[in-house]
Amino acid sequence: MISIEPGRLDHATLVAFHRQPQPVQLTDDCWTRVDQARQTVYDLIEREEVVYGLNTGFGLLANQRISHENLAQLQINLVRSHSAGCGPLLSDSVVRMIMLLKAASLARGYSGVRREVIEMLLAMLNADLLPCIPSQGSVGASGDLAPLAHMSLAMIGEGRLRKNGVEMGAAAGLRSANLQPLELGPKEGLALLNGTQVSTALALTALVDCERTFQAALAIGSMTVDATMGSDTPFDPRIHEIRNHPGQIDCASAYRAWLADSEIRRSHVDCSRVQDPYSLRCQPQVMGACLESLRHAAQVLLREANAVSDNPLVFAEDHSILSGGNFHAEPVAMVADQMAVAIAEIGALSERRMALLVDRHLSHLPAFLTENGGLNSGFMIPQVTSAALASENKQLATPASVDSLPTSANQEDHVSMATYAARRLHPMLENTNTILAIELLAAAEGIDFRAPLKTSPRLQELHRRVRDLVPRYEQDRVFADDIRRIKSDVVAVFGLEPCCPVL
């Protein structure tokens, strides 16, 4: 059981929840503020004050007053009309994170919902009843309206949900867990639909997954240094200290740790090679820049995970409801763009190292890492696959936050595109993990060619993991299965001790 204090989520909790979902509960002290904010809503209704979203229409229709007897229907209509998403459904892990973030945000006590709304979210989450949420249809302002509408639709017993991978009607799914469909009160539909939880969940889950990708890239890049008989001099701490970028310093330390006590390195300390190509020599500089971008993203996304981002907001202490723009997901969009560039660069650098490994003039290994070239093509086409994926990532890394199309008859005239900015991170990570898996297979082959010299003890452990799954390439065979196996069992679940953590 994970116990959450609204506004105090931390990275450790979010990582644990993403990697191993557990039941969630809120600390008891949150309910007083929730109840006070709800009472403020009731008081304003009784005084018949005009408040956006409470007794008015939405968007450009905000000047339309809604009668008291239609307030509940207004919220139902809002959920139904905004359930206009399309495209593939979001993954279960992303949907769980959305529900967690939405519950935590509402429980801050500034949204004016009843505690029953929050309890329904948690009951569904803990029963693993996950709304079917289409991945497309949000521009990231006013919040993630369409996807959150699909989440809310399941809460009122409409739409569809999934349990254990099986899709079913929401009403039947709720009955299976002895849950009654939620009856929405004034403002509650709007509070559920408004907010940045979808784009934030997409970016956060990508960031957690990227932690392992980043650590794997450091280790694999180190193995390529040894396989190509590269120098460890560029990782000397003195070089990096006088530039004073923390990420660069941390990454250089990681490369030194991975390469420590390598027999291969000792064998060519006095060789005639003056300098290595940039893809080996400048790894701390490139990976360090990526690390700092990811760490910055982690800070911003944690703040957003703890934020109240719906509209309008209820301040019970002075009985006021204020309309603002916390739903605008520009902070998420911008850091998602930074993450996209980092993920693309990690893959681009790996692809260049892969190209180096198969080039006998640079690696001083057999061409394409095969001893019987001509009859065997060796790693020729895996490098082509790497190049294709690296190029695809470059296109996907184009900033989304600089794009904007006005919506709602120009009432919402600048939007963040944060949902797409965060959503594309997941296929980009898949591409980069594949590129790294290909490099790891090639680097392991290069290490084998250096026998009887041994790589460092830490890299020997990684090499053994590869060989436990995939034998040497003594003659051509199908690569696709090996790439898939190394990607899923080594790169994507990289579990060796991180040298410079992102989170």
Side-chain angles (χ1 to χ4, degrees):
M1 178 72 74
I2 296 177
S3 184
I4 291 174
E5 181 181 355
R8 296 296 181 90
L9 282 166
D10 56 29
H11 285 130
T13 300
L14 294 168
V15 170
F17 180 77
H18 176 53
R19 291 180 177 170
Q20 189 63 51
Q22 300 176 49
V24 175
Q25 66 180 9
L26 297 171
T27 55
D28 291 337
D29 56 359
C30 73
W31 298 117
T32 299
R33 179 173 282 278
V34 169
D35 293 340
Q36 290 172 342
R38 187 59 187 170
Q39 188 58 50
T40 299
V41 170
Y42 287 141
D43 292 344
L44 289 170
I45 292 173
E46 288 300 315
R47 294 202 298 267
E48 297 188 351
E49 295 189 22
V50 178
V51 179
Y52 171 73
L54 187 63
N55 48 19
T56 73
F58 305 101
L60 199 63
L61 302 176
N63 61 341
Q64 301 296 315
R65 179 76 181 268
I66 308 300
S67 64
H68 190 281
E69 60 268 21
N70 286 325
L71 294 185
Q73 189 62 46
L74 173 69
Q75 301 302 310
I76 295 172
N77 289 350
L78 176 71
V79 172
R80 289 172 178 164
S81 67
H82 284 51
S83 296
C86 61
L89 298 179
L90 295 175
S91 69
D92 287 355
S93 61
V94 171
V95 173
R96 288 189 192 98
M97 188 65 76
I98 293 168
M99 297 173 77
L100 172 71
L101 296 182
K102 176 55 81 173
S105 178
L106 295 177
R108 290 282 304 274
Y110 294 97
S111 302
V113 302
R114 293 166 298 149
R115 64 169 65 191
E116 287 90 338
V117 176
I118 304 167
E119 289 170 342
M120 182 64 168
L121 263 175
L122 293 178
M124 291 176 66
L125 178 59
N126 292 339
D128 210 34
L129 293 172
L130 306 176
C132 292
I133 302 179
S135 58
Q136 294 174 283
S138 173
V139 296
S142 298
D144 294 312
L145 293 172
L148 287 174
H150 284 275
M151 179 197 75
S152 306
L153 197 65
M155 295 173 67
I156 65 173
E158 301 181 21
R160 300 186 67 77
L161 50 76
R162 281 196 303 256
K163 182 177 176 64
N164 298 327
V166 178
E167 190 174 322
M168 64 192 78
L174 294 178
R175 283 196 301 271
S176 72
N178 296 317
L179 295 174
Q180 295 295 318
L182 180 68
E183 295 184 6
L184 294 172
K187 195 186 178 300
E188 290 177 341
L190 183 59
L192 284 166
L193 268 61
N194 229 226
T196 64
Q197 286 78 33
V198 174
S199 50
T200 305
L202 282 162
L204 266 174
T205 51
L207 182 66
V208 174
D209 292 341
C210 191
E211 172 84 66
R212 286 172 167 164
T213 299
F214 187 85
Q215 302 305 331
L218 294 176
I220 295 165
S222 300
M223 186 178 287
T224 295
V225 169
D226 234 14
T228 57
M229 287 193 160
S231 173
D232 59 0
T233 299
F235 311 137
D236 189 300
R238 292 170 293 181
I239 294 172
H240 307 284
E241 285 167 1
I242 62 173
R243 200 181 193 190
N244 202 31
H245 287 294
Q248 178 178 327
I249 291 169
D250 290 348
C251 286
S253 176
Y255 289 113
R256 293 195 301 274
W258 278 111
L259 289 163
D261 300 321
S262 166
E263 290 182 6
I264 296 175
R265 173 55 183 147
R266 286 198 296 269
S267 74
H268 64 94
V269 169
D270 297 320
C271 69
S272 59
R273 188 188 302 183
V274 177
Q275 288 184 330
D276 294 324
Y278 288 179
S279 60
L280 299 183
R281 181 165 31 123
C282 297
Q283 287 187 83
Q285 287 79 5
V286 177
M287 292 295 287
C290 294
L291 178 58
E292 293 197 24
S293 288
L294 295 173
R295 285 175 172 171
H296 172 66
Q299 293 175 349
V300 173
L301 293 176
L302 184 61
R303 286 195 288 269
E304 195 67 17
N306 283 298
V308 182
S309 56
D310 60 290
N311 185 66
L313 298 173
V314 181
F315 296 88
E317 54 269 25
D318 60 0
H319 304 287
S320 61
I321 296 185
L322 305 180
S323 186
N326 279 2
F327 51 71
H328 202 297
E330 195 78 4
V332 179
M334 284 192 171
V335 295
D337 282 344
Q338 293 173 23
M339 289 173 62
V341 171
I343 292 166
E345 282 294 88
I346 293 167
L349 194 63
S350 174
E351 185 279 326
R352 286 294 79 204
R353 294 191 301 263
M354 176 62 192
L356 189 155
L357 280 161
V358 299
D359 186 339
R360 64 184 178 88
H361 300 291
L362 293 173
S363 68
H364 305 288
L365 292 164
F368 301 108
L369 300 172
T370 182
E371 290 186 295
N372 196 4
L375 177 62
N376 292 309
S377 295
F379 280 78
M380 180 186 296
I381 300 306
Q383 190 273 323
V384 174
T385 300
S386 290
L389 296 179
S391 181
E392 185 176 309
N393 270 358
K394 292 175 186 177
Q395 300 297 317
L396 288 169
T398 301
S401 60
V402 297
D403 188 21
S404 178
L405 284 173
T407 61
S408 193
N410 283 306
Q411 173 74 6
E412 297 157 5
D413 57 348
H414 182 278
V415 298
S416 71
M417 298 298 177
T419 320
Y420 166 70
R423 176 165 51 85
R424 52 78 193 265
L425 299 175
H426 292 266
M428 290 185 70
L429 272 173
E430 287 292 307
N431 289 343
T432 293
N433 285 345
T434 301
I435 295 167
L436 288 166
I438 291 170
E439 183 193 357
L440 179 55
L441 285 168
E445 200 74 12
I447 293 296
D448 288 327
F449 276 117
R450 300 302 182 191
L453 294 173
K454 295 179 181 179
T455 188
S456 70
R458 294 192 69 189
L459 289 175
Q460 286 178 53
E461 181 182 353
L462 179 56
H463 185 271
R464 279 193 296 271
R465 290 181 62 177
V466 174
R467 287 291 169 250
D468 286 344
L469 296 167
V470 173
R472 281 201 70 180
Y473 293 90
E474 295 177 352
Q475 60 184 20
D476 281 349
R477 65 174 188 268
V478 175
F479 269 101
D481 293 339
D482 294 344
I483 294 169
R484 190 160 43 246
R485 190 174 298 116
I486 294 300
K487 174 185 173 182
S488 63
D489 294 354
V490 180
V491 177
V493 294
F494 196 78
L496 300 179
E497 183 182 352
C499 292
C500 44
V502 174
L503 298 171

